[in-house]
Amino acid sequence: MKRTVLVTGATGYIGSHTCVCLLEAGWQVIGIDNLCNSSPQVIARIEHITGSSLPFYQSDVRDYAALCALLQRHAVTAVIHFAGLKAVGESVSQPLDYFDNNVGGSITLLRALQSRNIKNLIFSSSATVYGEPQTVPITETAPLSVTNPYGRSKLMIEQVLTDLAQSDPQWRIATLRYFNPAGAHESGLLGEDPRGTPNNLMPYIAQVAIGRRTHLSIYGDDYPTADGTGVRDYIHVMDLARGHLAALRRLLAHDGAHANTNTVSHNGCFTVNLGTGHGVSVLQAVRAFEQASGRHIAVRFAARRPGDVASCYASPAAALQLLDWQAEKNLQQMCEDQWRWQSANPQGFDSSATSLSPTDMTE
Ligand SMILES: NC(=O)c1ccc[n+]([C@@H]2O[C@H](COP(=O)([O-])OP(=O)(O)OC[C@H]3O[C@@H](n4cnc5c(N)ncnc54)[C@H](O)[C@@H]3O)[C@@H](O)[C@H]2O)c1
């Protein structure tokens, strides 16, 4: 019998791509999302790509009663918890929303899971918990520090999970620290659809390429990097999605034999970076996107932004060792897939040319 995984934030960018991976790997998936930052069209598209059905609940992870009702209806083996707010700037102006949604939502979810004795969890953390890294590549044992309420909400949840696992050894918790997700599903049917101004580089470049924005501002051209622009670790969203599958397998395979007491893995709980291990500068990303799209990307240089670091990329060694996982797709593939998604959906999921109703998709 198929085992069931509950995915929170299922219609979001990373959640939707992970649902595809899970369904293709033979999992039964139940999705929930309150749709505060995503479109309900995503479900039909996932079903179209995979040929599998995805029961979906429009629900908030802060709604304890709704979660308990859902968990009573479905025999859930594990949960992947993507649901959360993620805009750093917004978190500075609205910190309470971020703590309520991200920290409060996670605690409500954990309580509901505990009440049903479901204790296998994968949590979406972020490289933001490393703050300004002292050295690169960043390993999981690097000092943690945060510079904004979004990052603090992620670090607080990590700490809650550590305490929870310590209080009850039945919990199996994978904390995955993502670097910079980019790209889209190769079908062009799923991708990142930011509301308002994109916070991340790749969707911003894609919107310049499609003509929705006039130019890209590059903040800082005097960093101590090869071309003076900031360096980040861009990881293809499908590689990231596969990382969740690998983490799920690892969590459920735990039999105590692998338990060790280092900071990466302890009694079946572990924390790993999901990145490529390669740094790419803003200008390199722009050039790669121009090549993939055949479009010119206008750029303007501006002063450095406070809080931005020169260079940030992962050590992916622990993920390889623990999960037997590593990123496979390169920058060019990320740009090609991002462009396919952007050009087929110029206004995102609401583009009339490509809007497909669930009926269209399932016929
Ligand atoms: N994209 C990145 O750059 C990045 C990097 C590191 C970590 N993360 C984390 O990964 C997770 C997924 O990110 P994403 O890029 O897919 O973001 P996203 O905004 O596309 O997806 C998050 C989803 O969660 C939903 N959601 C938010 N609050 C909810 C709530 N209270 N109840 C139910 N649903 C809720 C939103 O509607 C959205 O569909 C987030 O937790 C984010 O913080 C993202």
Side-chain angles (χ1 to χ4, degrees):
M1 206 179 74
K2 283 187 175 183
R3 287 193 289 181
T4 300
V5 59
L6 172 67
V7 175
T8 76
T11 42
Y13 174 44
I14 308 170
S16 57
H17 291 79
T18 304
C19 286
V20 168
C21 263
L22 290 165
L23 289 166
E24 286 179 342
W27 281 85
Q28 169 85 39
V29 179
I30 311 291
I32 78 167
D33 200 299
N34 67 2
L35 301 177
C36 72
N37 196 38
S38 52
S39 162
Q41 285 198 43
V42 169
I43 296 299
R45 294 189 180 205
I46 295 171
E47 291 181 335
H48 180 71
I49 291 168
T50 61
S52 302
S53 71
L54 170 47
F56 175 71
Y57 296 83
Q58 182 175 350
S59 185
D60 195 296
V61 291
R62 290 166 294 182
D63 186 340
Y64 182 78
L67 285 174
C68 288
L70 185 156
L71 294 171
Q72 203 154 12
R73 201 165 313 132
H74 301 278
V76 168
T77 300
V79 178
I80 309 184
H81 180 33
F82 293 104
L85 302 176
K86 63 166 183 176
V88 169
E90 187 183 64
S91 81
V92 174
S93 59
Q94 295 167 42
L96 294 180
D97 286 351
Y98 274 69
F99 293 121
D100 178 41
N101 196 67
N102 294 3
V103 183
S106 297
I107 290 174
T108 303
L109 174 68
L110 291 166
R111 279 196 190 283
L113 296 179
Q114 196 166 43
S115 77
R116 302 292 305 172
N117 213 27
I118 299 162
K119 295 183 177 171
N120 297 305
L121 178 85
I122 296 178
F123 171 61
S124 297
S125 190
S126 166
T128 194
V129 299
Y130 295 118
E132 294 188 23
Q134 285 155 16
T135 52
V136 283
I138 305 172
T139 64
E140 290 78 357
T141 53
L144 304 179
S145 73
V146 286
T147 53
N148 55 68
Y150 166 68
R152 197 160 293 115
S153 75
K154 289 290 171 190
L155 190 54
M156 285 168 76
I157 301 164
E158 285 202 14
Q159 289 163 342
V160 168
L161 295 174
T162 303
D163 287 344
L164 182 64
Q166 227 147 38
S167 73
D168 176 355
Q170 284 184 338
W171 277 96
R172 301 277 174 261
I173 298 173
T175 297
L176 306 181
R177 293 180 181 150
Y178 314 151
F179 278 66
N180 297 76
H185 189 264
E186 62 184 10
S187 63
L189 285 171
L190 286 179
E192 187 171 10
D193 181 15
R195 296 199 172 158
T197 309
N199 290 303
N200 295 330
L201 177 67
M202 284 293 186
Y204 204 108
I205 296 179
Q207 290 193 4
V208 175
I210 203 76
R212 279 173 68 178
R213 299 187 186 273
T214 55
H215 67 277
L216 171 75
S217 295
I218 299 181
Y219 299 99
D221 62 354
D222 55 353
Y223 284 110
T225 59
D227 60 25
T229 64
V231 165
R232 299 289 179 271
D233 185 340
Y234 298 97
I235 174 169
H236 195 294
V237 66
M238 289 307 291
D239 277 335
L240 195 58
R242 280 193 310 102
H244 291 75
L245 201 58
L248 190 57
R249 290 191 177 123
R250 179 71 179 77
L251 269 192
L252 300 179
H254 176 80
D255 56 6
H258 304 288
N260 61 44
T261 51
N262 70 32
T263 48
V264 172
S265 166
H266 180 68
N267 284 342
C269 297
F270 55 86
T271 298
V272 291
N273 291 336
L274 293 183
T276 65
H278 303 294
V280 168
S281 76
V282 178
L283 279 177
Q284 279 176 311
V286 168
R287 300 292 166 250
F289 205 94
E290 286 185 327
Q291 208 176 331
S293 64
R295 302 272 174 106
H296 171 65
I297 310 293
V299 302
R300 281 188 205 157
F301 289 97
R304 293 184 187 190
R305 286 181 305 196
D308 277 356
V309 298
S311 194
C312 175
Y313 55 94
S315 163
L320 181 60
Q321 191 222 331
L322 207 67
L323 309 182
D324 196 23
W325 169 92
Q326 60 187 332
E328 290 171 1
K329 292 178 185 266
N330 60 27
L331 177 64
Q332 208 54 40
Q333 289 165 303
M334 275 179 245
C335 294
E336 283 164 13
D337 290 338
Q338 185 104 28
W339 178 239
R340 192 176 304 109
W341 152 254
Q342 185 68 70
S343 43
N345 306 268
Q347 302 298 326
F349 286 103
D350 293 332
S351 305
S352 54
T354 51
S355 285
L356 295 166
S357 71
T359 321
D360 293 333
M361 313 287 295
T362 48
E363 270 175 358

